[in-house]
Amino acid sequence: MHEIKESFDVKLAEDEKYYVPDEKYRRTSWIGDYQRRYDEFLADPDAFWNDIAEELDWVRHWDRVLEWNYPYAKWFVNARLNITSNCLDRHVASDRRNKAALIWRGEDGTERVYTYQKLLTEVIHFANGLKKVGVSKGDRVCIYMPMVPEQAIAMLACARIGAVHSVVFAGFGETALNMRITDAQAKIVITADISIRRGKAIPLITIVKEAILNAPSVEHLVILRRRREPPVEMRPDFELDFYELMRNGGADCPPEAMDAEDPLFMLYTSGSTGTPKGVVHTCGGYMVGTYYTSKYVFDLKENDIYWCTADPGWITGHSYIVYGPLIVGATVFISEMTLDYPDPGIWWRLIEEQRINIFYTAPTAIRTFMKLGEAWPEKYDLSSLRIIGSVGEPLNPEAFEWYYHVIGKDRCPIVDTWWQTETGMQMITTMVGEPMRPGFVGKGIPGVVADVVDKDGASVPLGSGGFLVIRTPWPAMFRTIYNNDERYRQYWETIPGVYTAGDLAVKGTDGYIMVIGRSDDIIIISGHNIGTAEVESALVSHQAVAEAAAIGKPDPLKGNSIKAFVILRVGNAPSEKLKKDLMYHVRMTIGPIAVPQEIAFVEKLPKTRSGKIMRRVLKAQEMGVDPGDISTLEE
Ligand code: WTA
């Protein structure tokens, strides 16, 4: 993955402050006593996962729970299943048939409710439609859509027939989209004419059309036409209307019996070098892992309404909007609303109106609300909330306190969940009922052996820092990087024998883990991962730029912001105008999230003797701290 940077010492102010949730949470939580469950898992990991898998529907039972051939795992060996049977058919065949599966709220106030039956019907029709245009098991389908229910329908329809979906976040620009379509060799791209943000229509379709110009694998575009007047024109034969495809689909689509190890989807995530990585997840293990965590980490109960504010374009949306909660049979609320439009009270108003019980969001949103003030949430009745969650980046203690007091009213447990695109499921948190410690995510959940180690893989003593690793395989782990197995192995070989997450962490004296941030060249901005390499390559693709280096700088709201250092090609003079041009260029190439907030024109960049840019040195200069070991610096 990346070279391991030196270990480091942390001086923790060990004020051991805990919030102990009401005893009732321990009693009502399905997980019950954390330590007992953890010990059960340790005593017999296979039996632990076996029992969870037994709760689901399979077409063929597994011969063995796990075949571990480091660093390759096979989970539920030789089992057959279809994840949509568990997301949909299983509930339709039960008392949940008429229960709301999805409740969607559009920006214009439109509300749509899908019962489990209705969702299944639409998924089946759309799946058949895909079959009719030539999509079959194993084909890759790119989904580039706004937050509408059709996005989830498209994902589930792919899963129904065994096509591998690759969802690309609709905030990405045309170059980023093109790269993802061509790497996956996607046969179909499913998109929408527009996405709606802050009352404005953003033409997605123009981005897609640019992106597929050099993507010969694409045979059809399927377009959800949201704009009524005038509707976008369709190029005959090549472009297909979403609902027409669905109407022509037909009502019978038995779920494809997938091998547990067949791919379910791929999802691109930023790499520390070069192109984004197509993280591949498989059917069986991912189903079991997302089911288990949705059920126990969120402690989802039959009558809960659950809201996760993520976009399905990211792994959080895959695992905790679409797959996990539907497998559990929950009611999932999806909103297209930006957090401050039409006003900064909108999310709290939605919680009041929908009587949301479980709410899952990101620290960047929490910090934004802190800045906007308590008056907004205080206008609304948040008493329906039972459990509140966080994901994507460190939840700093100040944000924890605010979330706990202002939103959770000193009553709701916070589940701050650490995990990754690669892990597929939540891995570290403080399970409901356990004492919570601000700033610390908690411990590995039962089933997960998380640790903080030095660069040789030895556990660091309690109270010190090192690299965050996972010691044993887990069901929802990714199986490879698409077409690049070498990059998969690097995760397991960086520190031999363990999965290296790429995060720096501290193990408190109580064994609780605090995640500090990335140890590699990935910058997390508002919970979104951007590789320095992506930003740099976007910059150098501009004709004025010879070389570029990007670093993350701490930002009170977004976690980090990007600063870029740029060497211009001869004949180009630094100017404010050029800075603006470069920012615009990055926006068009990767998307708005990757735009540097600052650009500095420089004559030289600090490099190692072997020519690698030492971003660490740039960052230290920027922060006014000691750059540490610079013995490898060029001069
Ligand atoms: C960071 C998102 C601290 C971490 C599910 C990780 C976190 C990266 C937390 C993965 C958390 C995620 N506390 N940091 N609770 N959750 N991270 O792949 O650096 O988009 O490696 O997956 O986000 O980001 P990804």
Side-chain angles (χ1 to χ4, degrees):
M1 169 167 27
H2 45 262
E3 73 199 277
I4 275 279
K5 313 259 155 77
E6 311 76 47
S7 297
F8 62 100
D9 285 327
V10 273
K11 300 278 171 287
L12 265 190
E14 285 265 353
D15 61 330
E16 301 209 354
K17 179 172 182 181
Y18 296 90
Y19 285 97
V20 182
D22 194 300
E23 183 57 31
K24 75 166 189 269
Y25 282 106
R26 195 182 278 263
R27 280 198 312 272
T28 61
S29 155
W30 293 357
I31 195 86
D33 177 20
Y34 165 82
Q35 196 55 49
R36 184 174 53 83
R37 299 272 178 161
Y38 203 94
D39 292 341
E40 276 169 22
F41 153 69
L42 280 185
D44 191 345
D46 283 7
F48 177 86
W49 290 114
N50 184 83
D51 290 352
I52 293 162
E54 291 285 5
E55 294 174 20
L56 298 169
D57 285 353
W58 301 77
V59 182
R60 185 189 185 280
H61 200 272
W62 48 96
D63 298 331
R64 246 158 311 138
V65 171
L66 170 66
E67 199 175 284
W68 179 228
N69 182 14
Y70 164 84
Y72 299 105
K74 282 189 179 159
W75 282 90
F76 308 104
V77 182
N78 295 329
R80 293 208 163 252
L81 73 136
N82 189 288
I83 196 165
T84 68
S85 307
N86 284 285
C87 292
L88 302 168
D89 307 62
R90 197 162 71 99
H91 309 307
V92 168
S94 79
D95 289 348
R96 295 195 184 113
R97 178 173 171 218
N98 298 317
K99 173 174 174 174
L102 301 179
I103 302 175
W104 176 78
R105 181 67 79 88
E107 235 208 29
D108 61 0
T110 319
E111 187 168 298
R112 275 152 67 187
V113 180
Y114 290 75
T115 61
Y116 274 96
Q117 177 65 69
K118 181 174 158 77
L119 189 58
L120 174 63
T121 305
E122 300 219 343
V123 166
I124 283 179
H125 279 85
F126 194 72
N128 273 330
L130 288 176
K131 272 193 196 163
K132 281 207 173 146
V133 295
V135 181
S136 50
K137 184 177 167 182
D139 287 342
R140 271 83 55 216
V141 172
C142 174
I143 300 175
Y144 181 74
M145 294 181 95
M147 275 179 77
V148 287
E150 288 87 348
Q151 185 184 32
I153 291 170
M155 291 165 74
L156 292 162
C158 288
R160 186 83 175 172
I161 61 176
V164 178
H165 59 70
S166 163
V167 181
V168 177
F169 173 57
F172 277 118
E174 60 214 34
T175 312
L177 178 59
N178 173 274
M179 219 146 89
R180 286 158 174 80
I181 293 171
T182 47
D183 185 71
Q185 290 292 294
K187 204 167 174 180
I188 304 272
V189 178
I190 306 174
T191 187
D193 52 356
I194 51 168
S195 75
I196 299 172
R197 265 190 110 62
R198 296 196 164 87
K200 286 205 202 74
I202 300 157
L204 281 190
I205 191 73
T206 36
I207 299 174
V208 177
K209 288 192 176 174
E210 285 291 318
I212 60 169
L213 281 181
N214 288 310
S217 66
V218 178
E219 293 173 11
H220 292 290
L221 275 188
V222 179
I223 307 171
L224 172 72
R225 291 192 285 181
R226 304 181 77 190
R227 202 182 66 200
R228 302 258 180 277
E229 291 304 331
V232 284
E233 302 239 347
M234 312 279 275
R235 213 173 99 196
D237 302 328
F238 180 68
E239 293 173 0
L240 311 163
D241 178 83
F242 190 97
Y243 277 100
E244 223 165 275
L245 193 83
M246 193 185 269
R247 268 195 300 280
N248 296 337
D252 186 28
C253 184
E256 185 78 35
M258 306 293 286
D259 186 276
E261 284 298 316
D262 279 336
L264 172 64
F265 68 84
M266 50 199 284
L267 182 61
Y268 285 88
T269 187
S270 294
S272 51
T273 51
T275 50
K277 301 175 282 193
V279 171
V280 177
H281 282 286
T282 55
C283 296
Y286 179 81
M287 173 172 80
V288 173
T290 54
Y291 165 70
Y292 162 65
T293 44
S294 296
K295 183 166 165 179
Y296 293 111
V297 172
F298 291 131
D299 191 32
L300 273 173
K301 299 278 201 290
E302 195 58 46
N303 285 326
D304 282 333
I305 301 190
Y306 159 85
W307 180 18
C308 165
T309 64
D311 186 295
W314 308 107
I315 191 68
T316 305
H318 282 62
S319 300
Y320 300 109
I321 294 178
V322 181
Y323 289 111
L326 292 181
I327 301 171
V328 174
T331 295
V332 180
F333 177 65
I334 305 179
S335 153
E336 199 185 15
M337 308 275 188
T338 316
L339 59 80
D340 58 357
Y341 184 87
D343 65 54
I346 180 65
W347 281 15
W348 316 122
R349 194 166 88 219
L350 288 171
I351 289 177
E352 176 183 290
E353 282 176 18
Q354 302 286 335
R355 309 305 294 154
I356 300 291
N357 305 109
I358 294 161
F359 178 66
Y360 194 32
T361 193
T364 182
I366 298 166
R367 289 191 298 260
T368 304
F369 287 124
M370 281 171 77
K371 196 188 79 175
L372 293 166
E374 294 169 19
W376 285 107
E378 273 164 9
K379 280 191 189 174
Y380 299 97
D381 173 11
L382 306 181
S383 63
S384 59
L385 289 175
R386 192 162 63 79
I387 291 164
I388 52 182
S390 174
V391 60
E393 49 182 321
L395 181 65
N396 48 303
E398 299 73 26
F400 179 102
E401 302 271 350
W402 190 88
Y403 200 28
Y404 188 73
H405 300 306
V406 180
I407 305 305
K409 312 284 183 211
D410 295 4
R411 190 172 46 75
C412 302
I414 293 181
V415 281
D416 176 7
T417 57
W418 178 91
W419 60 294
Q420 304 178 296
T421 305
E422 292 88 339
T423 69
M425 65 183 226
Q426 296 158 337
M427 304 289 280
I428 307 175
T429 192
T430 302
M431 302 291 295
V432 169
E434 295 298 303
M436 296 163 283
R437 186 169 182 200
F440 288 75
V441 277
K443 299 181 183 177
I445 63 173
V448 171
V449 188
D451 200 1
V452 183
V453 303
D454 64 20
K455 64 181 190 303
D456 304 314
S459 289
V460 298
L462 294 178
S464 31
F467 305 99
L468 183 58
V469 301
I470 308 295
R471 291 196 174 278
T472 60
W474 64 98
M477 61 190 269
F478 68 137
R479 300 299 196 271
T480 190
I481 297 296
Y482 192 71
N483 279 340
N484 197 343
D485 198 54
E486 172 63 26
R487 279 179 106 176
Y488 170 78
R489 282 201 307 276
Q490 284 166 10
Y491 285 89
W492 288 94
E493 288 167 359
T494 304
I495 298 173
V498 298
Y499 169 79
T500 301
D503 280 358
L504 297 173
V506 173
K507 208 193 299 176
T509 46
D510 52 4
Y512 276 39
I513 292 170
M514 171 192 279
V515 178
I516 295 177
R518 301 289 309 178
S519 65
D520 57 11
D521 295 320
I522 290 173
I523 308 171
I524 302 196
I525 303 142
S526 301
H528 303 151
N529 297 2
I530 296 295
T532 52
E534 284 169 274
V535 180
E536 290 158 6
S537 84
L539 285 167
V540 296
S541 71
H542 189 280
Q543 49 82 23
V545 177
E547 263 193 283
I551 61 165
K553 278 177 75 170
D555 179 284
L557 288 184
K558 297 188 287 182
N560 289 287
S561 66
I562 299 175
K563 175 160 184 178
F565 299 83
V566 168
I567 303 180
L568 292 175
R569 292 198 193 182
V570 275
N572 293 281
S575 70
E576 284 307 308
K577 160 97 177 34
L578 183 54
K579 276 187 195 173
K580 294 262 151 47
D581 288 352
L582 293 177
M583 289 176 184
Y584 182 73
H585 183 70
V586 175
R587 171 182 294 266
M588 295 318 284
T589 316
I590 316 178
I593 43 176
V595 175
Q597 195 155 333
E598 287 174 78
I599 293 181
F601 296 112
V602 294
E603 299 288 323
K604 273 182 101 166
L605 290 169
K607 286 187 183 161
T608 63
R609 272 176 282 244
S610 59
K612 277 196 192 146
I613 297 173
M614 293 183 80
R615 296 182 191 80
R616 180 163 62 81
V617 173
L618 286 171
K619 185 154 178 169
Q621 273 171 3
E622 196 62 31
M623 313 291 299
V625 299
D626 176 15
D629 178 15
I630 49 166
S631 57
T632 55
L633 198 63
E634 207 173 18
E635 58 201 53

